[in-house]
Amino acid sequence: MGIKTDEELTKAYKFLEEGMLAQAREVLEQAIGYNFDNSEINFAHWCCSYWVDFVQGLPRLEAYEQGDGLITRWKSFKQDYEQKENFQQKTIYALQRGIFSLALNAYEHAKEEGTASQKADLFRKKGLCCKKLGKYEQALNLLTEAYRIAPQSAAILAEMADCFALCGEDKNAKVLFREAFFIDAQRIEIDFLDSELICCLIRQVKEKGYIGAVLQEWIPVYGVLYGVFNVKRELRAQEPGRLRQEIFAKENEIKDPSNDSRILIPRLINMYFWLIDHYARSNEGKEKINECLLQIRVHDENIYRMYTK
């Protein structure tokens, strides 16, 4: 690339980081005039075209809706740009800073009202934006406040875990990821997770052909099998009884052909993993552990072999 091209890209990326999409596109359109075959310029221009009309339409929305619109569109954008043969990570980084700065600003102007759950979700979304901007300490402070309001939120726990992993605190990350996927795997927005700890696991499970809701349920199962979810906590006093009741209910659900066994089986296997850990820790004998292992074998012979080898 020539000096002029480098200067134009530098200028465009600065606009992208500031969320000024129209200005960035204008610079890139000028650069394309004498660099029509430059893949980085073309990709950056495609990114601007993807976003510019949407961003220009944001003032018509309430602040909270602006934030939600931006992060929802980012999820679709991520799926689209990953299909591009030679997407430029440098461009994505600049654009990410711009989009999540706009989203954070919107959420900061949103009214803190509504139910406790809605307030917790606002703190979570602010934390997500800070995480995407590399402000991990600020993100954890916001997510901790969200957790204080809604301690059983899988989405909040997963974001906290991701921040801990990005800060190199893998032990905290592992125990929180394990907890989040146990509470409700479907509530976790895996497209927004960034740490290599969890992203590597997600890639490995995707390679097995799982997608969508089914993928989400298999992540904690393979998290155990691959040694990622290996930091565990003891079940509290009432939890073993509730867990056994949930397992009994899920076993009955699987017998009904109208239910989706593709989702129920991995969810049930993960429950058995938790119960086995409880029995092993509480020295309740091999008989109960063997009963759990037998049920895992009934549902998936391959998982049973991997777990017991």
Side-chain angles (χ1 to χ4, degrees):
M1 289 193 296
I3 293 173
K4 189 172 182 182
T5 302
D6 288 340
E7 289 174 351
E8 297 287 3
L9 278 169
T10 299
K11 191 175 178 181
Y13 285 151
K14 190 173 187 302
F15 280 133
L16 286 179
E17 289 184 11
E18 294 172 355
M20 301 170 72
L21 281 297
Q23 292 87 334
R25 185 170 68 172
E26 186 178 331
V27 170
L28 291 165
E29 284 175 348
Q30 292 173 0
I32 285 174
Y34 49 85
N35 262 305
F36 62 89
D37 60 347
N38 184 290
S39 59
E40 186 173 355
I41 292 174
N42 286 324
F43 179 72
H45 184 265
W46 174 81
C47 290
C48 287
S49 298
Y50 192 104
W51 281 95
V52 67
D53 290 341
F54 180 84
V55 170
Q56 287 177 337
L58 287 175
R60 295 194 297 267
L61 304 175
E62 294 292 331
Y64 195 92
E65 292 174 329
Q66 289 183 29
D68 277 5
L70 285 161
I71 63 174
T72 299
R73 188 167 178 81
W74 184 267
K75 188 174 179 179
S76 301
F77 172 67
K78 183 174 185 286
Q79 293 168 354
D80 289 341
Y81 79 66
E82 286 180 343
Q83 300 302 313
K84 296 281 185 181
E85 285 188 11
N86 295 308
F87 73 82
Q88 306 288 325
Q89 196 60 51
K90 186 177 179 181
T91 310
I92 297 301
Y93 174 77
L95 183 60
Q96 178 173 291
R97 290 195 63 81
I99 296 301
F100 283 93
S101 292
L102 290 173
L104 180 59
N105 182 62
Y107 286 131
E108 285 177 340
H109 285 86
K111 298 174 183 176
E112 290 186 21
E113 56 186 23
T115 65
S117 176
Q118 289 169 328
K119 289 177 182 176
D121 207 42
L122 179 57
F123 280 115
R124 178 184 69 84
K125 288 169 179 174
K126 287 180 182 178
L128 166 63
C129 292
C130 287
K131 183 192 76 174
K132 287 291 188 180
L133 295 170
K135 302 175 181 178
Y136 302 135
E137 185 176 347
Q138 190 176 339
L140 276 170
N141 288 337
L142 289 160
L143 292 167
T144 300
E145 183 60 25
Y147 173 77
R148 186 187 64 78
I149 300 170
Q152 287 299 302
S153 167
I156 292 168
L157 287 168
E159 284 297 338
M160 291 179 74
D162 203 34
C163 278
F164 278 123
L166 289 164
C167 293
E169 298 184 38
D170 284 1
K171 185 175 181 180
N172 286 337
K174 287 181 175 185
V175 72
L176 289 178
F177 272 131
R178 182 172 179 264
E179 188 83 18
F181 278 95
F182 178 66
I183 290 173
D184 192 345
Q186 298 302 321
R187 293 286 182 184
I188 299 170
E189 297 189 83
I190 62 173
D191 287 321
F192 292 120
L193 300 176
D194 294 329
S195 61
E196 191 58 22
L197 175 74
I198 195 68
C199 289
C200 180
L201 174 60
I202 293 169
R203 285 195 299 271
Q204 289 176 309
V205 181
K206 279 183 177 178
E207 286 169 4
K208 296 184 175 295
Y210 298 117
I211 58 172
V214 178
L215 167 69
Q216 307 254 142
E217 297 295 341
W218 279 110
I219 288 169
V221 173
Y222 283 97
V224 171
L225 297 176
Y226 294 159
V228 180
F229 292 1
N230 59 357
V231 181
K232 303 165 184 178
R233 67 164 178 84
E234 291 186 35
L235 294 180
R236 292 177 280 272
Q238 305 300 319
E239 287 183 305
R242 285 202 302 267
L243 182 54
R244 284 188 285 264
Q245 288 175 352
E246 288 178 29
I247 286 173
F248 180 77
K250 287 288 181 290
E251 289 285 6
N252 284 326
E253 284 180 41
I254 284 178
K255 294 173 185 176
D256 184 344
S258 67
N259 291 323
D260 192 346
S261 62
R262 296 174 307 158
I263 287 177
L264 289 173
I265 286 174
R267 185 177 297 172
L268 189 53
I269 289 172
N270 191 40
M271 288 180 180
Y272 278 123
F273 285 169
W274 275 72
L275 194 55
I276 289 170
D277 290 338
H278 167 69
Y279 287 147
R281 183 177 283 111
S282 59
N283 298 314
E284 291 194 39
K286 284 188 175 181
E287 187 176 335
K288 289 185 177 180
I289 292 176
N290 287 336
E291 287 174 5
C292 294
L293 290 173
L294 177 61
Q295 288 304 111
I296 291 172
R297 188 171 194 174
V298 166
H299 292 302
D300 195 307
E301 176 77 23
N302 185 50
I303 295 298
Y304 166 80
R305 292 184 183 280
M306 291 179 69
Y307 187 69
T308 57
K309 69 178 181 180

